[in-house]
Amino acid sequence: MLREDLGGGLELALAVPQHAEALFGLIDENREHLRRWLPFVDATQSVEYARSFLKDQLCQLAEGRALALTLFHQGRAAGMLSLNRIDSVNRAASIGYWLDKGLTGRGLMTRAVGRLIDLAFASFPVDRVEIHCAPGNEPSCAIPERLGFTREAMLRQALRAHEYVDDRVIWGLLREEWPRH
Ligand SMILES: CC(C)(COP(=O)(O)OP(=O)(O)OC[C@H]1O[C@@H](n2cnc3c(N)ncnc32)[C@H](O)[C@@H]1OP(=O)(O)O)[C@@H](O)C(=O)NCCC(=O)NCCS
């Protein structure tokens, strides 16, 4: 899957170093929106940094450890989502995401995460996917809830982003619970 049309102007593509300029520009425009919840934002200060992150993601894909995707909306980069910490022994992985603030509130990320779950169960040694989010990050927690995940656990002070420390809610979804599996 290099690039896939999800309909309605939404596309998912394998995240490659060629996306570095567009993704860095998007992060730069969205710093305030993203930094409260995502620890990489302050460290991302150049296109070169973004490019080396994307190269590393391709290495992780080659090693079967991660899959990073770029989300496009009407041909323009709109955000990212990824399958992380793929653990073939325990057949589990976790999903992360971020979206341009101007494109929130339309269901785009919920659709994209749904497609990533299809890919996880179809193409990776995974029978369980998790989403971790802070309880105060309501738009993020709403995504697993909307997709039928179970709220399984809450770890205290287990998420850090810049100066913030939050509890970590773990949402889980099993292969047999996914209607499209
Ligand atoms: C987390 C984040 C991606 C969620 O964005 P979002 O726009 O709320 O999520 P979606 O694109 O799935 O859209 C859902 C919204 O669209 C609405 N919507 C409209 N049509 C919809 C549809 N067909 N299906 C689902 N939702 C729809 C939903 O009601 C919801 O809006 P609401 O919150 O006002 O009820 C975004 O807030 C973000 O990037 N935050 C910063 C980074 C971050 O926190 N990442 C996660 C770290 S754990």
Side-chain angles (χ1 to χ4, degrees):
M1 193 279 280
L2 278 182
R3 197 157 176 134
E4 181 177 316
D5 190 347
L6 301 188
L10 201 59
E11 288 174 285
L12 270 183
L14 183 66
V16 290
Q18 289 82 347
H19 298 163
E21 207 159 321
L23 289 171
F24 174 73
L26 204 55
I27 291 168
D28 210 36
E29 285 165 22
N30 278 277
R31 285 189 188 281
E32 283 318 304
H33 168 55
L34 302 177
R35 81 180 292 286
R36 170 64 184 89
W37 307 113
L38 300 176
F40 62 81
V41 174
D42 284 3
T44 306
Q45 293 296 337
S46 66
V47 174
E48 203 38 60
Y49 185 95
R51 189 172 290 118
S52 89
F53 166 78
L54 291 163
K55 283 183 186 166
D56 180 62
Q57 290 295 305
L58 283 183
C59 291
Q60 291 202 36
L61 177 63
E63 291 164 359
R65 292 192 288 128
L67 170 68
L69 302 176
T70 304
L71 185 65
F72 289 89
H73 183 254
Q74 293 174 349
R76 299 188 57 186
M80 288 194 82
L81 60 161
S82 51
L83 192 64
N84 303 315
R85 294 188 284 272
I86 298 171
D87 172 353
S88 58
V89 173
N90 294 304
R91 298 190 63 87
S94 66
I95 288 176
Y97 38 75
W98 61 267
L99 182 66
D100 180 10
K101 189 170 195 300
L103 293 172
T104 59
R106 307 181 193 194
L108 302 183
M109 191 53 79
T110 300
R111 270 213 288 150
V113 171
R115 185 63 191 128
L116 180 56
I117 295 168
D118 291 338
L119 292 170
F121 289 142
S123 307
F124 292 88
V126 162
D127 291 327
R128 165 188 169 82
V129 288
E130 296 177 2
I131 291 179
H132 298 191
C133 55
N137 190 352
E138 286 163 17
S140 181
C141 291
I143 290 177
E145 190 163 21
R146 223 176 265 126
L147 289 170
F149 284 58
T150 299
R151 192 184 195 276
E152 295 179 335
M154 208 264 296
L155 311 186
R156 293 171 304 152
Q157 295 189 13
L159 270 182
R160 287 176 188 264
H162 306 103
E163 66 272 33
Y164 304 102
V165 184
D166 294 286
D167 297 340
R168 179 191 295 254
V169 177
I170 300 179
W171 295 81
L173 178 82
L174 307 181
R175 174 185 289 274
E176 61 265 30
E177 294 168 344
W178 184 235
R180 309 200 290 251
H181 86 275

